[in-house]
Amino acid sequence: MKSSLKTRLVLAFLSTITVPILIAILTLYLGADQLSNGEDDQLDQLFSDVKKEIRMTEDELPDRNAFYNEIKPLLDQYDMNVTIYTEDRELIFDSKNYREVDEVNSFLPNFNTFTIQVQPETGIMWDVTIQANSSQNAPFQRMTHIVHILLLSVGMGLLTLILMIVIWTTYISRTVLTPLKHIYQATEEMREGNLDYPIVYKRKDEIGRFIEGFNVMRQHVKDSFKKQKQYEDSRKELIASISHDLRTPLSSIKGYVEGLRDGIVQNEEMKQRYLQVIHNKTEHLDHLIEDLFEFSKMEVDQLPIEKEVVNASVYFEKLITKHQFELRNQAVELTYTNVEEKPTSILLDPVRVEQVMSNLIDNAVRYGSDQINIKVHTNDLEGTIAITITDNGQGIRNEDIPYIFTSFYRGEKSRSTYSGGSGLGLSIVKYIVKAHGGDIHVESELGKGSSFIFTLPLYVKGSNSNIYE
């Protein structure tokens, strides 16, 4: 699992502090380990020699020149100065008064100065201060080594600190600042209208979730623009379809009315024929306007659906009987098969479902069917009732099937008033079925007919609705 941004920032802060300290401590430890233990022995030897020399020459101390001459070989050997005080800090002897001394490096003022106590024969304790003139001679170079080790450890710590800052700055820049820069670039691209600019970021941290949300938003905006364009194209197509579908029957009506007005009709039989055509065209106009009206309400989800509980067998039998009577004069055979073994109740809008049935039956007749079979059966396992309307018409081409329920889509490209409808009927059918909680699909083979199958959910007992009779 990827660490969160907060965890990485805390880790960066802590490591930037602790790692340089640990490196400095490790360097100091390794350097101190390399210090020779022999240097401690040399210091002990120095202190011993000083004590011995002072005790041996303390009788000469009243004559300080003589005392200096006695200890001078020791001072020259170690290149140092000696100062002797009483316990009351009274100066007894200072070798600096008897020899020319170079100034000690002020950078190391106290590292090569030691104070020891010497007890002369008089029994009064003396404080002897030993100060090296040079830190390069044994045994005083030990202090120089210590200083070098301290400087090295501090330098390594600072170098590590700088390295950690560079590493974490580069890392944070790559994982935080660079993605933010990409987000800014993406917003600029979106502002310019380019919505095909995804941001790639593989981490699942806060930045990753933010970028994922940004990509979702970008895709949502893109889909919204696409839907808006489709909606605008649909509106344009709607206007074009209305213009064409209304102009054709109106032109026919106008022509026949002008024929009647101009006296072209010479007998009653032709007059009745003209009137019948005008009547048919008027019905076609009424059908188109009704489809458009239903579609407009469907577009804003205001198509009213008033459901009630009905007995499926009684409802469909009455509905199909009505259509059988209407189709008798058109030489179309409509058969009904009910495979229900027990009374089944469904919750539906009787008017809207009749609209679905009428539209599917009219489509079958319009596209050349003279035999239509309607089958109703229940699927208790899925809790639905399925209505299958099978015809022997001209069928639907395979490439048209995926779009058959799309508004204004018509498989018949001629757009004739005989075989072509408004292109809205099946989209309204699908909307009504979906509004009932059902589904609809089509199975068809060109030249052999089609089967439209739609389902409606079974009624769950306990409702106070009345049974439709």
Side-chain angles (χ1 to χ4, degrees), residues 263-280:
I264 296 176
V265 179
Q266 299 297 327
N267 54 60
E268 185 65 25
E269 181 181 355
M270 184 175 290
K271 178 181 178 181
Q272 292 300 321
R273 191 178 300 171
Y274 270 45
L275 292 174
Q276 183 61 43
V277 171
I278 293 173
H279 176 74
N280 292 340

Side-chain angles (χ1 to χ4, degrees), residues 71-90:
I71 67 170
K72 183 176 182 301
L74 181 64
L75 298 179
D76 293 338
Q77 177 185 348
Y78 289 103
D79 191 16
M80 64 179 182
N81 287 301
V82 172
T83 304
I84 303 175
Y85 296 91
T86 65
E87 289 182 331
D88 299 331
R89 298 305 295 172
E90 179 183 352

Side-chain angles (χ1 to χ4, degrees), residues 18-29:
T18 57
V19 172
I21 294 176
L22 292 176
I23 292 296
I25 293 174
L26 179 62
T27 304
L28 183 62
Y29 173 78

Side-chain angles (χ1 to χ4, degrees), residues 55 58-59 119-124:
R55 290 194 185 101
E58 64 175 316
D59 293 339
Q119 186 173 15
E121 292 182 357
T122 59
I124 301 174

Side-chain angles (χ1 to χ4, degrees), residues 240 242-252 285:
I242 292 174
S243 301
H244 183 280
D245 292 337
L246 295 182
R247 184 186 298 115
T248 302
L250 281 174
S251 298
S252 297
L285 274 176

Side-chain angles (χ1 to χ4, degrees), residues 49-73:
D49 291 345
V50 171
K51 290 178 180 180
K52 180 179 179 182
E53 187 67 24
I54 291 175
R55 290 194 185 101
M56 290 175 59
T57 60
E58 64 175 316
D59 293 339
E60 303 292 335
L61 191 57
D63 186 354
R64 295 183 179 179
N65 289 329
F67 180 79
Y68 171 74
N69 291 329
E70 291 292 333
I71 67 170
K72 183 176 182 301

Side-chain angles (χ1 to χ4, degrees), residues 171 175 221 247 308 310 366 379 390 460:
Y171 178 78
T175 58
V221 173
R247 184 186 298 115
E308 58 184 77
V310 303
R366 183 181 297 114
N379 187 333
T390 304
V460 179

Side-chain angles (χ1 to χ4, degrees), residues 3-12 168 171 175 203 205:
S3 61
S4 66
L5 177 62
K6 179 180 178 181
T7 302
R8 299 204 306 274
L9 292 177
V10 171
L11 179 62
W168 280 113
Y171 178 78
T175 58
R203 289 186 174 274
D205 54 12

